[in-house]
Amino acid sequence: MLPEQAKRELIAILGDADFKDDPQSLVTHSYDGTAMQQALPDAVVYPRDTAQVSAVMKVLNKHRIPLVTRGSGTNLCGGTVPVNGGVVMVMHRMNRILEIDLENLTAVVQPGLNTKQFSAHVESLGLFYPPDPSSMAVSTIGGNIAENSGGLRGLKYGTTKDYVIGLEAVLASGDIIRTGGKLMKDVAGYDLTKLLVGSEGTLAIITEATLKLIPPPKAKKTMLAMYADLYDAARTVSKIIENRIIPATLEFLDNPTIRVVDDFAKLGLPLDMEAILLIEQDGEPETVERDIARIEEICRGENAARISVAATPEEANKLLAARRSAFTALARLRPTTILEDATVPRSKIADMVLEINRIARKYGVNICTFGHAGDGNLHPTATTDARDLDEVHRVEEAFAEIFEAAIALGGTITGEHGVGIVKAPFLEWKVGAAGIEVMKGIKAAFDPHNLLNPGKMFAKQTRKRVVIHHG
């Protein structure tokens, strides 16, 4: 429970309507999109502007009360679960587009703004904001920034970090800082903007973001390439890039995922295929036509069994929507769905998929794999039941071995989901003990009393490395 004095001070800042500590509000904000992670906060607050965020943080700092900032809670690493109790700050009231600057091609927005609504508004003005996480229909810009969200267009256009050029943020002390701005060049000191992007709410509370916009592509074409052999599909990915073609989207679905997605979206996908590549190219009309023709050639050369090009934008959108629905479709299979994101160099995609399949067989668990093949970011997804403790343990052991396999192939433990609680025990595997100490030093400089999203990123204990035996 919050100290009574702190509660009174928070209500004085926010008003009764924007301070909640009833059981329903606490339970509603005790979990996020991550399976099997839950912890009750002591209170939930809904600030309406930066001044209120700053005033709230000054109270929490004075009373040493922890804070978790939250958007829609769609993250998959336990990043917004209040494991140390304290206050959950929900940013949904701060959801405005403050400015679209057509001269500088920038937007200034608040963190609670819905990603898809922002994207649609920008497109209505003849501009383009490329980051497109699968959760974009419900996720917020602030959450995207906290996790450095990726998406289907990441291969060609990059991720959230490539479009955030300035931030306003509140520190644990309640002080307000501004970083970057509407500038294409700025090397005045450390790049605090990039440091805060992907910091998962552990360093500061983002209250405003300046985002880069770009002109939209003039043309777009989408195709499906279907393969009877997994290796042929994976080799195609490397071959396309090797031919100096960078598609806007280059997605991979394995056979179990194809079956589930087709049952969910009713697209008539070929259920006898081992893998499908969903490929989209955009740009100047002539370039798109040339690239799609060349990609088709490459696919045939790598033994694609069937190739189809979407005849209309509606058909193309259906295919992309089906890929975005993969997690939702898989979640229908069993009571608990654990979606991970091991990432490897794209030339190692086939090796990684084979490793995932081998590990799933070894532990007797069901894992479907899909993901952003073009940038090596795979999403092995286990369908299980949290009530079956033995199976859940085997799933956890399988994922530990999958992360080890990704690192062995020159990859990483997470490409876009973040560290949070779930990946914290594995972070040292990737960055090393010295890297962890540097990160802890940065955390202490920003947040000396460990009030901002405590219990995330840094594990109490690093997981022991898995010894992988092949054969």
Side-chain angles (χ1 to χ4, degrees):
M1 277 180 59
L2 290 187
E4 199 54 43
Q5 177 61 26
K7 179 176 171 176
R8 279 198 300 271
E9 288 173 25
L10 291 173
I11 291 170
I13 294 162
L14 297 158
D16 287 315
D18 291 334
F19 175 95
K20 307 272 186 198
D21 60 358
D22 59 286
Q24 186 178 340
S25 297
L26 301 186
V27 170
T28 304
H29 295 91
S30 65
Y31 60 92
D32 55 26
T34 318
M36 303 184 299
Q37 301 290 342
Q38 189 170 17
L40 277 177
D42 298 308
V44 183
V45 299
Y46 302 82
R48 292 175 184 269
D49 56 35
T50 304
Q52 282 191 344
V53 173
S54 171
V56 165
M57 206 56 240
K58 283 176 179 167
V59 170
L60 300 185
N61 187 43
K62 181 173 76 175
H63 292 278
R64 300 289 188 263
I65 297 166
L67 176 92
V68 176
T69 344
R70 172 188 175 110
S72 298
T74 56
N75 81 88
L76 295 163
C77 64
T80 51
V81 176
V83 289
N84 287 30
V87 172
V88 168
M89 181 180 281
V90 183
M91 307 307 282
H92 282 160
R93 305 266 202 273
M94 296 175 64
N95 60 5
R96 290 184 301 133
I97 298 173
L98 301 175
E99 179 192 58
I100 302 281
D101 184 340
L102 298 177
E103 289 182 331
N104 288 301
L105 294 190
T106 58
V108 180
V109 305
Q110 292 182 311
L113 178 64
N114 174 271
T115 311
K116 193 168 186 180
Q117 286 172 6
F118 172 62
S119 202
H121 180 72
V122 165
E123 284 174 25
S124 76
L125 300 173
L127 291 168
F128 186 36
Y129 179 71
D132 63 334
S134 293
S135 61
M136 69 188 292
V138 282
S139 66
T140 62
I141 295 289
N144 296 169
I145 292 169
E147 298 296 338
N148 185 21
S149 298
L152 275 66
R153 295 192 283 244
L155 168 61
K156 183 172 185 175
Y157 290 103
T159 58
T160 300
K161 74 177 186 314
D162 301 301
Y163 297 88
V164 180
I165 55 176
L167 292 170
E168 176 189 80
V170 175
L171 299 176
S173 62
D175 291 339
I176 300 166
I177 60 167
R178 284 188 168 274
T179 74
K182 297 179 186 180
L183 305 162
M184 292 303 109
K185 290 179 177 178
D186 180 6
V187 291
Y190 298 138
D191 191 343
L192 297 180
T193 308
K194 288 289 187 284
L195 180 59
L196 292 179
V197 177
S199 62
E200 303 184 23
T202 62
L203 300 181
I205 305 158
I206 290 158
T207 51
E208 199 177 284
T210 303
L211 306 174
K212 178 175 76 172
L213 307 176
I214 62 173
K218 289 179 184 167
K220 207 181 273 190
K221 274 217 160 167
T222 307
M223 67 183 277
L224 276 186
M226 304 154 219
Y227 294 84
D229 182 271
L230 196 69
Y231 243 104
D232 291 339
R235 221 175 22 249
T236 302
V237 174
S238 301
K239 208 75 172 174
I240 290 169
I241 307 298
E242 205 180 291
N243 273 263
R244 313 291 189 267
I245 300 170
I246 307 294
T249 297
L250 181 42
E251 296 290 303
F252 168 90
L253 290 85
D254 71 357
N255 179 271
T257 312
I258 294 166
R259 290 174 173 275
V260 174
V261 166
D262 192 65
D263 183 55
F264 178 74
K266 306 285 187 278
L267 288 172
L269 296 175
L271 305 184
D272 57 334
M273 291 290 123
E274 280 306 303
I276 282 180
L277 294 180
L278 171 61
I279 306 163
E280 183 175 77
Q281 184 56 304
D282 64 13
E284 292 294 326
E286 311 76 36
T287 309
V288 171
E289 291 295 337
R290 188 184 67 232
D291 284 355
I292 287 289
R294 181 71 187 112
I295 290 169
E296 194 169 332
E297 231 174 77
I298 293 165
C299 293
R300 291 197 194 284
E302 296 300 333
N303 307 319
R306 272 173 267 168
I307 293 171
S308 68
V309 178
T312 63
E314 291 72 32
E315 197 182 322
N317 288 337
K318 252 189 196 173
L319 293 173
L320 290 164
R323 160 58 188 90
R324 288 185 198 282
S325 73
F327 178 48
T328 312
L330 288 165
R332 298 160 75 218
L333 296 181
R334 301 280 304 279
T336 309
T337 308
I338 303 172
L339 188 153
E340 281 299 352
D341 76 323
T343 303
V344 293
R346 53 191 164 226
S347 61
K348 301 291 186 184
I349 283 278
D351 298 329
M352 189 64 207
V353 174
L354 293 174
E355 277 293 270
I356 291 167
N357 293 346
R358 177 189 68 77
I359 292 163
R361 284 193 302 274
K362 173 181 170 181
Y363 289 97
V365 294
N366 182 45
I367 296 180
C368 301
T369 304
F370 61 93
H372 318 303
D375 54 27
N377 185 199
L378 290 171
H379 294 312
T381 304
T383 51
T384 182
D385 186 338
R387 294 165 297 188
D388 185 337
L389 299 183
D390 175 64
E391 185 176 83
V392 166
H393 176 69
R394 283 183 283 118
V395 167
E396 287 170 348
E397 292 301 303
F399 275 127
E401 196 160 321
I402 285 168
F403 302 148
E404 176 73 6
I407 290 171
L409 290 168
T412 182
I413 59 170
T414 176
E416 58 186 9
H417 289 178
V419 176
I421 310 168
V422 175
K423 298 285 180 64
F426 307 99
L427 184 60
E428 192 175 315
W429 291 9
K430 175 65 177 117
V431 303
I436 292 284
E437 288 311 306
V438 170
M439 289 182 183
K440 283 182 174 175
I442 292 168
K443 168 70 169 165
F446 273 85
D447 181 16
H449 303 298
N450 193 26
L451 300 180
L452 297 178
N453 212 2
K456 312 295 165 56
M457 198 86 74
F458 307 111
K460 286 179 183 149
Q461 202 172 352
T462 292
R463 170 86 188 223
K464 278 188 179 163
R465 294 295 281 262
V466 181
V467 180
I468 297 179
H469 298 291
H470 296 279

